[in-house]
Amino acid sequence: MALLISIGHDGWYTEEQLAEELRAIDPGADIRPISAPGNLEDITMLAVSALKGDLAAQLPNLQLVQKLGAGVDSIVAHPSVAPHVRVTRLKPLEPAQEIAEYCLAYVLRSQRNMAEHAASQSRSAWAPQAPKRAAETTVGVLGLGHIGGMSARLMRDMRFRVLGWSRSPKEITGVDCRHGEAALPQMLGICDYVCAILPSTPATRGLMEARMLAAMKPGATLINAGRGDLVDEAALAAALDKGTPGHAVLDVVSQEPLPADSPLWTHPQVTVTPHVSGWHLGDALRDVVENYRRLEAGEELLHEVDRQRGY
Ligand code: NDP
């Protein structure tokens, strides 16, 4: 039994770094970076950030794919992951807090007119503008799971009026929770900010298309920190040109990295960040090692995903 690590993209942890951190937690575990995989027949668990090519299909004894994060859309339906292979994710506290902070930062940037004040300074212009009041501002959070729930509670604690939206009914103190697709257009119409923290599933892909975007409040801001394929990007550009919504903050886009010739880079009403809203794994690395142990012991795994449901 061995755990193989393949990050699958640049610009984050390396396989060697992660292997070292995991071995520090359990020095006895057989943990291998993709650069030195050894005999592939030994591999029973594969830990990935993005699953590349047919790697999973090359591992004849693979039982578990562990996502090194939350979004499992690139794994659950991957043709190289046989139906019997189980999928687990992480539920780390630190990146959930980071994503909630990201949403709050962009809400406050607009509430406090920071872009306008920066533009005024560049003209040496002393141009006061009143900040907007939190109590008179409505923030909608799409997705009330591990990350969305934390974001909704943070917004509530900052005194915003908060609406939440999920697939099934939820109760969160101080948050007006709604559910189901039929409830979405009306909710979008009353939110000054819409923070989307949804997984990518057949039901959410393309959900924010022209009709949903038109249902948003004129001038509102859409913040997407979930998955890029939630938003029809051509429809978004056209909707922004008409002022509904008024601005989009995109930490995730349908093609990452965003191609250099994408019109999103230069659209005056779009802010792009390179998928950085949640970053550090923190204590969650312990759960990777724990799942390695549990797999060997035949025990219930931590944070197993429903492959049919997609999250
Ligand atoms: P969870 O699985 O804990 O929560 C998902 C939420 O989305 C649930 O509330 C669920 O509803 C809701 N949901 C799913 N499908 C629908 C639907 N069709 N209609 C309405 N609501 C729906 O996931 P997390 O909160 O941990 O993560 C959410 C996503 O954030 C991840 O899947 C990932 O794609 C993305 N992410 C982005 C990161 C970044 O750096 N930008 C980092 C980490 C994650 P219900 O509760 O009723 O099931």
Side-chain angles (χ1 to χ4, degrees):
M1 159 157 197
L3 163 59
L4 180 66
I5 305 173
S6 166
I7 301 294
H9 58 84
D10 296 329
W12 195 49
Y13 292 79
T14 65
E15 284 89 359
E16 288 73 16
Q17 265 175 340
L18 261 184
E20 204 172 305
E21 290 197 30
L22 294 173
R23 282 191 212 107
I25 298 168
D26 181 357
D30 185 349
I31 296 172
R32 308 175 186 180
I34 190 73
S35 54
N39 183 354
L40 296 185
E41 289 183 5
D42 300 340
I43 309 295
T44 49
M45 179 171 169
L46 173 65
V48 300
S49 177
L51 184 54
K52 294 282 259 192
D54 67 347
L55 176 60
Q58 294 173 35
L59 309 172
N61 296 314
L62 183 67
Q63 295 171 33
L64 172 64
V65 179
Q66 169 75 59
K67 165 77 186 198
L68 295 165
V72 291
D73 43 289
S74 66
I75 301 169
V76 285
H78 198 290
S80 79
V81 182
H84 71 273
V85 174
R86 300 160 78 184
V87 177
T88 49
R89 54 164 287 183
L90 296 177
K91 285 203 176 178
L93 188 61
E94 201 173 345
Q97 286 168 334
E98 288 173 337
I99 292 171
E101 284 168 9
Y102 175 95
C103 294
L104 179 63
Y106 281 100
V107 168
L108 293 179
R109 175 180 184 248
S110 170
Q111 289 294 101
R112 302 301 311 214
N113 307 307
M114 288 182 186
E116 291 79 358
H117 290 313
S120 300
Q121 183 178 356
S122 71
R123 301 190 311 274
S124 303
W126 188 266
Q129 282 196 39
K132 297 159 198 119
R133 290 193 167 105
E136 293 172 3
T137 301
T138 302
V139 178
V141 180
L142 309 186
L144 293 173
H146 177 60
I147 304 169
M150 193 172 292
S151 304
R153 290 189 296 273
L154 178 64
M155 297 295 178
R156 173 202 65 193
D157 294 346
M158 293 297 294
R159 308 179 318 283
F160 291 103
R161 177 173 181 241
V162 184
L163 273 60
W165 185 74
S166 53
R167 195 176 50 84
S168 56
K170 292 270 175 300
E171 274 187 39
I172 303 176
T173 307
V175 177
D176 179 353
C177 295
R178 301 160 184 219
H179 66 278
E181 197 167 330
L184 187 57
Q186 198 255 345
M187 172 176 158
L188 292 174
I190 48 182
C191 294
D192 299 291
Y193 303 89
V194 173
C195 305
I197 311 160
L198 287 162
S200 170
T201 72
T204 62
R205 283 193 269 280
L207 180 70
M208 292 305 290
E209 39 64 74
R211 191 180 60 95
M212 285 295 183
L213 293 165
M216 289 182 70
K217 192 170 169 177
T221 297
L222 174 65
I223 302 172
N224 189 13
R227 279 292 179 268
D229 58 14
L230 175 78
V231 179
D232 177 336
E233 288 165 357
L236 176 65
L240 290 165
D241 289 340
K242 290 188 219 146
T244 303
H247 196 91
V249 177
L250 307 175
D251 186 49
V252 286
V253 286
S254 56
Q255 190 185 340
E256 296 182 10
L258 184 62
D261 61 355
S262 168
L264 293 176
W265 283 119
T266 49
H267 196 291
Q269 302 308 335
V270 175
T271 301
V272 175
T273 58
H275 203 140
V276 290
S277 58
W279 188 277
H280 298 99
L281 287 178
D283 279 354
L285 286 182
R286 298 198 161 274
D287 290 353
V288 177
V289 176
E290 178 61 12
N291 268 345
Y292 173 85
R293 188 196 68 74
R294 289 182 182 214
L295 185 68
E296 188 169 27
E299 294 174 16
E300 190 182 339
L301 299 172
L302 296 173
H303 316 310
E304 185 160 3
V305 164
D306 178 339
R307 284 189 67 179
Q308 291 309 313
R309 196 180 63 169
Y311 68 100

